[in-house]
């Protein structure tokens, strides 16, 4: 992959994160006045608090993705690949043991 293609891919990813971040912020701004948060521990207030918590997690994740440097991104990709390989090896090992146990 050339540097230009890699840069275009990074920019496309950044644009995607900005769009999702703006959507999540808009949803939060739209929903805050409509959520019932004043009632003490009713189902409505618990739902509102959980909804706000999830929205804040999404916003934080997209801000983190926008601020993450390339070195950290590559390190996370390497860790993700290693975990996937480990899961694959465990599944193959379980399948092999299962076949041996059946006979």
């Amino acid at each position: 992959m050339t540097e230009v293609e890699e840069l275009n891919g990074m920019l496309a990813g950044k644009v995607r994160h900005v769009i999702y971040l703006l959507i999540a912020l808009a949803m939060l701004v739209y929903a805050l006045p409509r959520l019932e948060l004043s009632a003490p521990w009713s189902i409505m207030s618990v739902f509102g608090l959980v909804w706000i918590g999830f929205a804040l997690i999404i916003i934080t994740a997209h801000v983190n993705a926008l601020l993450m440097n390339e070195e950290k991104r590559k390190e996370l990709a390497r860790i993700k690949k290693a975990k996937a390989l480990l899961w694959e090896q465990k599944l193959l090992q379980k399948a092999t043991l299962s076949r041996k146990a059946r006979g």
Side-chain angles (χ1 to χ4, degrees):
M1 187 186 286
T2 67
E3 287 184 32
V4 173
E5 290 172 339
E6 191 172 316
L7 183 61
N8 284 339
M10 272 189 352
L11 289 177
K14 297 269 187 191
V15 169
R16 181 176 47 111
H17 286 297
V18 168
I19 290 171
Y20 292 158
L21 175 64
L22 292 174
I23 290 170
L25 285 170
M27 286 174 44
L28 187 62
V29 168
Y30 178 79
L32 272 177
R34 290 162 178 77
L35 291 173
E36 186 67 40
L37 301 174
S38 60
W41 296 110
S42 70
I43 292 177
M44 298 283 282
S45 64
V46 171
F47 171 80
L49 291 173
V50 170
W51 194 92
I52 290 170
F54 281 138
L56 291 175
I57 289 171
I58 291 168
I59 290 167
T60 305
H62 287 293
V63 168
N64 183 39
L66 288 169
L67 298 177
M68 190 182 307
N69 62 11
E70 189 60 31
E71 183 179 312
K72 180 75 171 177
R73 192 178 316 275
K74 285 181 181 179
E75 179 68 17
L76 287 176
R78 187 191 63 76
I79 291 170
K80 185 176 179 180
K81 189 175 182 179
K83 281 185 178 183
L85 183 61
L86 185 64
W87 270 92
E88 184 179 348
Q89 289 172 349
K90 284 182 180 180
L91 286 173
L92 286 173
Q93 188 178 31
K94 281 184 181 180
T96 304
L97 290 175
S98 173
R99 271 191 244 139
K100 287 181 181 177
R102 285 190 217 159

